[in-house]
Amino acid sequence: AVIRHPSSLYGSTTPPAPPPMKELPVGATVAVTGICALEDSNPYDQNVPFNLMMRSYNDIVVVAWPSWMTVRNLARVISAMLFVILGISAWGWTLKRKVRRQTQVLAARAEAEAEAERRNASLQQQRSRILEDINGFRPLVEVLEGITELVSFQLDGAPCWCEVSDGPRLGRYAAETDGLRTVRESIMSRSGPPLGTICAALDPRVPAAVHEKEVFFVGSQLAALAIENRRLYSDLVHRSEFDLLTDIHNRFSLDKHLDAAMAHARDDASIFGLIYVDLDEFKQVNDVYGHQVGDLYLQEVAVLMKRQLRGADLLARVGGDEFAVLVPMVHRRADVEEIAARLEHCFAAPVEIGGYALHGSASLGIALYPEDGSSKDSLLSAADAAMYVNKHMKRAATERIATEGIATDVPPEGECETDRAPGLAGDD
């Protein structure tokens, strides 16, 4: 199909530029209208080439556009699909990697949180156990060792120990020559000098952390609480079982030891003795010299009687001027009587207190278990009754001597009566 253009227009020698060709897609079906010009005039040839002479581009019309199902288009579609598949695969791989990384991060975070929770739970458990031990009966050494283990646990296993003032060193000790950074925290008491020091040996390459101060502070507070609480408990136990004035056992402690002695005697079929001691005319000491001298006299008398006892014997103050002695490990009454005689003899010499020579005496009563009493009350009653019998006998003897005219209180020749320090009634 050809469109012919004139070579010149209006006498011009230069042919004008032809208009642009009509763009037709490759593979389209077109209808062309024009004059057919044969290139070969032999009509007998079966196939004769010809040209269509068109008047304008409008003589060619697209009847059907080309199908998109072409190799080129298919290659494009396949290429696009491959690019999409590769893109989706890359996006999926990137997403999977990102999800895996996030999963690892979340797992690590969850594990760290779980480890922190386990660590905190273990820490709280150790603290609770230490507080229970402080208020319980666990030995102080074990409590302080538990506190050093708690501090060591919070410092990632660093050696930790406790140095008690005038006491031992407890815990895992590390010498300063080991090249470690030693940290010390004083164990301060609520009143008075420090109770000791809590120490830890840390890696010098690791800088000091902020929580170290808190760890040492809590450890020192727990150690101070343990030491002071145990000392307070020991002091309360001592006060509950010992007389505050004479520092010997009191009535409560005597009852407890009596129960234990009777249980032991029943198990072993043995005997023991009880001596009841009552100071004669002690009221005169308070009336003449004052209560301060009377207290000093009671303290001195307690010391004198303790010197006459054996190591297993127990001296207790059961009243103002009344004492009792528990005498275990005896075989017969004579053994108890011997100890009673020693106690009575310790009043023979005067007691020097504040420049005064106090002459005193005591009445004693003896009871033997189970001969004189099979229970605590009956045994105490028997010893008390024996003491009162002895006191009345001494008083009756004194009155009989006074009635017969035997003057025992006449001062020796050359000595005035006022030169002698007043003493207890019954002094010879």
Side-chain angles (χ1 to χ4, degrees):
V2 179
I3 295 179
R4 293 190 179 275
H5 303 280
S7 59
S8 63
L9 292 174
Y10 309 105
S12 175
T13 58
T14 302
M21 294 182 63
K22 188 174 183 178
E23 294 293 335
L24 297 176
V26 178
T29 301
V30 297
V32 182
T33 302
I35 300 172
C36 181
L38 297 176
E39 292 183 359
D40 191 352
S41 61
N42 186 1
Y44 298 103
D45 289 340
Q46 187 176 6
N47 295 321
V48 178
F50 63 91
N51 291 329
L52 288 177
M53 304 303 293
M54 297 185 299
R55 291 170 296 180
S56 67
Y57 285 129
N58 295 329
D59 290 339
I60 180 170
V61 179
V62 177
V63 177
W65 294 94
S67 176
W68 64 273
M69 293 293 293
T70 61
V71 176
R72 185 177 182 181
N73 290 340
L74 185 61
R76 289 177 178 176
V77 170
I78 293 175
S79 299
M81 292 179 64
L82 288 177
F83 278 113
V84 170
I85 292 173
L86 290 176
I88 293 175
S89 299
W91 176 78
W93 179 79
T94 304
L95 181 62
K96 184 178 179 180
R97 185 179 179 183
K98 184 177 181 181
V99 170
R100 185 169 59 249
R101 187 183 300 113
Q102 291 179 351
T103 303
Q104 293 176 352
V105 171
L106 292 176
R109 184 181 302 172
E111 181 64 24
E113 292 177 355
E115 179 64 25
E117 290 181 359
R118 288 193 296 268
R119 185 181 181 89
N120 291 333
S122 178
L123 182 63
Q124 294 299 329
Q125 184 178 5
Q126 292 185 47
R127 287 180 179 175
S128 299
R129 186 174 63 250
I130 289 174
L131 290 176
E132 291 177 359
D133 294 337
I134 289 176
N135 296 322
F137 298 97
R138 191 177 180 186
L140 180 60
V141 171
E142 297 182 6
V143 176
L144 293 177
E145 288 178 347
I147 294 174
T148 60
E149 292 176 0
L150 176 64
V151 175
S152 176
F153 176 78
Q154 293 178 283
L155 296 176
D156 299 328
C160 180
W161 65 95
C162 177
E163 298 176 355
V164 182
S165 298
D166 300 329
R169 178 192 294 145
L170 307 171
R172 290 191 298 141
Y173 173 70
E176 296 182 358
T177 56
D178 296 341
L180 299 175
R181 177 170 59 91
T182 303
V183 181
R184 300 176 180 272
E185 180 75 16
S186 298
I187 303 174
M188 304 302 298
S189 63
R190 279 176 282 185
S191 61
L195 303 174
T197 307
I198 189 166
C199 313
L202 306 176
D203 191 345
R205 295 171 297 181
V206 179
V210 179
H211 75 285
E212 284 184 11
K213 294 183 178 180
E214 181 181 358
V215 170
F216 279 101
F217 176 76
V218 174
S220 63
Q221 291 296 311
L222 287 175
L225 180 62
I227 296 174
E228 291 187 337
N229 188 72
R230 195 52 53 91
R231 290 181 178 179
L232 178 61
Y233 175 77
S234 300
D235 183 65
L236 290 176
V237 170
H238 184 82
R239 288 173 178 269
S240 67
E241 296 186 354
F242 286 82
D243 180 58
L244 298 180
L245 177 63
T246 59
D247 199 29
I248 61 176
H249 292 270
N250 56 18
R251 180 62 179 266
F252 171 76
S253 180
L254 176 66
D255 291 343
K256 185 170 68 173
H257 284 82
L258 271 176
D259 291 334
M262 285 188 288
H264 178 74
R266 284 193 295 267
D267 293 339
D268 297 346
S270 58
I271 63 174
F272 66 88
L274 182 66
I275 304 174
Y276 213 94
V277 182
D278 182 74
L279 302 182
D280 296 330
E281 302 299 336
F282 174 72
K283 184 175 180 299
Q284 291 188 11
V285 177
N286 289 330
D287 294 342
V288 175
Y289 303 101
H291 290 279
Q292 183 178 3
V293 175
D295 292 342
L296 295 175
Y297 178 73
L298 288 175
Q299 293 174 355
E300 186 65 25
V301 165
V303 172
L304 292 175
M305 287 193 292
K306 285 180 65 175
R307 292 175 181 172
Q308 307 302 322
L309 301 178
R310 303 169 302 174
D313 299 336
L314 183 142
L315 174 65
R317 184 185 178 197
V318 296
D321 58 350
E322 297 178 352
F323 297 84
V325 180
L326 178 61
V327 187
M329 298 166 39
V330 295
H331 301 286
R332 53 188 179 275
R333 183 178 292 270
D335 297 337
V336 184
E337 292 176 347
E338 179 184 356
I339 295 177
R342 292 206 303 263
L343 291 174
E344 191 172 11
H345 181 71
C346 73
F347 291 92
V351 179
E352 300 289 340
I353 296 177
Y356 300 108
L358 303 182
H359 298 265
S361 63
S363 299
L364 287 73
I366 297 174
L368 201 66
Y369 176 88
E371 179 179 341
D372 298 322
S374 59
S375 65
K376 179 174 60 179
D377 293 335
S378 61
L379 194 65
L380 286 170
S381 298
D384 187 50
M387 181 270 298
Y388 274 106
V389 170
N390 187 14
K391 181 181 290 287
H392 287 302
M393 290 177 61
K394 289 174 63 176
R395 187 174 299 171
T398 302
E399 292 176 355
R400 185 176 65 255
I401 293 174
T403 303
E404 293 176 356
I406 303 176
T408 60
D409 55 349
V410 176
E413 183 178 357
E415 180 182 351
C416 298
E417 186 173 358
T418 55
D419 294 337
R420 299 180 59 197
L424 301 179
D427 292 347
D428 294 334

